Amino acid sequence: MPDIVVVTLGNIDNDNRVKKIIDFFSILTTKSTHSISINSQKVPNCVNIKVDHRNQRYFGIPGSNLLIIYLKFIFKLLKLRTNTYFHCNDLIALPICVFIKTIGSNSKIVYDCHEYETEVHGLTKSKKILLGLLERFLIRYVDSVITVSNSIALEYARLYKISPPHVILNCPKYIKPTKNDLFRDIFNIKKSQTVFLYQGALAHGRGIEILINTFSTMSPGNVLIIMGNGVLEKSIKAKSQTIPNIFYHTSVSTASLLDYTASADYGISFIEDSCLSNRYCLPNKLFEYIMAGLPVVTSNLPEMKHVVNSHNVGVVSDDNTATGFKEAISRVKLLNYSKLKSNISNARQQFCWEKQTLILKKIYNL
């Protein structure tokens, strides 16, 4: 079995998917497992590339910061290039791994796409074209491709004329959740009130503004808790001070996350249909809700809709608007809660990280 090097141009401390992959390799392989990332502090055996600021310029040249980061990564990886699997996370790291492979090493590349890389929210048309050309060129040097949903896998197969990529979902590790009242105790929420939870990044495109508008018009019996950090944090805090049934809680550690999740009654996964990456996504919070035992309310997007309807674990909004979501919240409260919980208990067996590692074992012949 070759050595394995997990490569990411992000901070592994904040990337649960990458950390779980590193843990998997460290436990199940007898060969050396390394990782290389930016500014990570909490991951054992990780080569840490220190970067003061991702957006700064070097020598006044726009974009040269990325070039300097690439050169630092290449210098470190050259020492590990022989008989090595590079587990490459996201398109931004792929040029580094392809360069190392093409200079005479017998390494292999597993390209792990955490989203639809060339169709993410906020990209201009010209950037989409340039990234698409880059990915089309580089993917010919890749030995295996991983995506996070079936729809994205089919798109990659169609676009690049490759075999359908493997699909590894962003699922948490399996647990048996224990119901608790953390949120009710923290915010003094009554037992008679129903607690809906949004957890995750507080960013545009996640439907957070629509959720706030929705709950601001609902009765006090329906409570929304927004938990996380991000660019919308300040405005959410302000809204929570003026709207009595909306509360804000900062993000919590991965170790305690599902304890907090399990203290809600329903989980909300509302992604706006603003780009193809969003349309075909299967966000980790959807599976966190399921693992914590919560029925879910989701956007009307194909992959989430398939999970919810095929396993009967909640309700899909008819349309991605405040009106559509208000109606979906009313519908989910009419469903038999005990039956939903039973369905969720069965779904947890499938949507857990332990199931996803079976695909990693197949890719790496473990």
Side-chain angles (χ1 to χ4, degrees):
M1 174 69 195
D3 291 347
I4 297 171
V5 181
V6 179
V7 183
T8 176
L9 262 69
N11 185 318
I12 299 178
D13 297 342
N14 301 320
D15 195 323
N16 290 331
R17 181 183 178 92
V18 176
K19 283 196 288 188
K20 286 183 292 189
I21 287 171
I22 292 171
D23 289 344
F24 165 78
F25 288 139
S26 300
I27 293 169
L28 291 184
T29 65
T30 56
K31 292 289 186 177
S32 297
T33 301
H34 307 273
S35 57
I36 180 167
S37 68
I38 289 176
N39 293 346
S40 297
Q41 303 293 332
K42 302 176 183 178
V43 180
N45 204 24
C46 177
V47 177
N48 181 37
I49 304 295
K50 293 184 178 180
V51 177
D52 293 332
H53 197 289
R54 295 288 298 277
N55 295 319
Q56 77 180 74
R57 297 183 176 191
Y58 286 84
F59 313 114
I61 303 171
S64 61
N65 61 320
L66 184 59
L67 177 60
I68 296 296
I69 293 170
Y70 274 6
L71 291 174
K72 288 181 177 181
F73 269 68
I74 288 169
F75 177 75
K76 296 289 186 181
L77 290 174
L78 281 172
K79 301 176 182 179
L80 302 168
R81 74 178 189 268
T82 303
N83 197 30
T84 297
Y85 265 108
F86 291 117
H87 191 100
C88 175
N89 294 279
D90 298 322
L91 178 56
I92 193 171
L94 190 55
I96 298 169
C97 298
V98 170
F99 176 80
I100 298 294
K101 181 178 180 177
T102 57
I103 60 173
S105 72
N106 61 342
S107 58
K108 293 186 177 181
I109 300 172
V110 175
Y111 177 33
D112 191 346
C113 313
H114 294 194
E115 51 193 339
Y116 194 158
E117 296 284 341
T118 61
E119 294 287 345
V120 299
H121 181 75
L123 285 181
T124 63
K125 184 176 181 180
S126 59
K127 285 184 178 179
K128 288 181 181 180
I129 293 172
L130 288 173
L131 290 174
L133 291 172
L134 176 65
E135 191 171 51
R136 181 181 297 275
F137 172 76
L138 295 175
I139 209 164
R140 70 181 71 179
Y141 297 98
V142 169
D143 298 279
S144 293
V145 180
I146 298 170
T147 66
V148 292
S149 77
N150 286 314
S151 293
I152 296 176
L154 292 174
E155 278 291 287
Y156 270 65
R158 180 185 65 83
L159 283 172
Y160 302 131
K161 304 297 187 291
I162 60 174
S163 300
H166 303 276
V167 177
I168 296 181
L169 304 176
N170 282 324
C171 298
K173 294 179 180 179
Y174 183 82
I175 65 163
K176 291 184 177 179
T178 302
K179 184 65 178 175
N180 63 75
D181 288 319
L182 276 172
F183 285 134
R184 284 187 162 84
D185 293 340
I186 292 168
F187 297 115
N188 196 26
I189 298 170
K190 298 176 182 177
K191 290 282 188 180
S192 59
Q193 294 175 290
T194 304
V195 178
F196 291 84
L197 172 65
Y198 169 93
Q199 66 186 33
L202 307 184
H204 296 289
R206 306 299 181 98
I208 296 172
E209 298 96 331
I210 295 175
L211 287 176
I212 290 174
N213 290 337
T214 300
F215 277 84
S216 68
T217 65
M218 299 185 75
S219 71
N222 297 300
V223 170
L224 173 65
I225 295 174
I226 301 174
M227 183 169 69
N229 295 111
V231 296
L232 296 179
E233 181 178 335
K234 186 176 180 180
S235 64
I236 292 168
K237 285 181 179 178
K239 292 286 187 181
S240 69
Q241 298 300 315
T242 59
I243 304 173
N245 63 333
I246 294 179
F247 300 92
Y248 168 76
H249 195 290
T250 190
S251 60
V252 297
S253 68
T254 303
S256 61
L257 174 63
L258 293 184
D259 289 331
Y260 281 84
T261 309
S263 70
D265 299 312
Y266 297 89
I268 294 178
S269 183
F270 190 12
I271 304 293
E272 296 176 30
D273 190 8
S274 59
C275 61
L276 288 178
S277 187
N278 280 7
R279 181 177 300 169
Y280 297 144
C281 74
L282 269 176
N284 58 338
K285 62 174 161 282
L286 173 64
F287 301 116
E288 288 166 355
Y289 296 145
I290 291 172
M291 189 58 67
L294 301 189
V296 296
V297 183
T298 74
S299 307
N300 192 358
L301 299 176
E303 290 287 338
M304 286 196 287
K305 182 177 182 178
H306 175 73
V307 168
V308 173
N309 289 345
S310 62
H311 294 273
N312 295 312
V313 293
V315 164
V316 178
S317 175
D318 287 335
D319 57 84
N320 300 329
T321 63
T323 301
F325 239 74
K326 188 173 182 178
E327 187 273 335
I329 288 167
S330 298
R331 275 195 291 131
V332 79
K333 292 181 68 176
L334 295 175
L335 298 179
N336 185 308
Y337 198 77
S338 297
K339 178 61 176 174
L340 284 174
K341 297 283 281 187
S342 176
N343 296 340
I344 291 165
S345 180
N346 293 329
R348 283 206 317 272
Q349 309 289 330
Q350 177 176 341
F351 297 122
C352 62
W353 182 245
E354 289 78 4
K355 283 281 188 180
Q356 306 310 306
T357 59
L358 299 178
I359 304 167
L360 277 175
K361 289 179 180 179
K362 179 180 178 182
I363 293 170
Y364 284 92
N365 296 316
L366 295 176

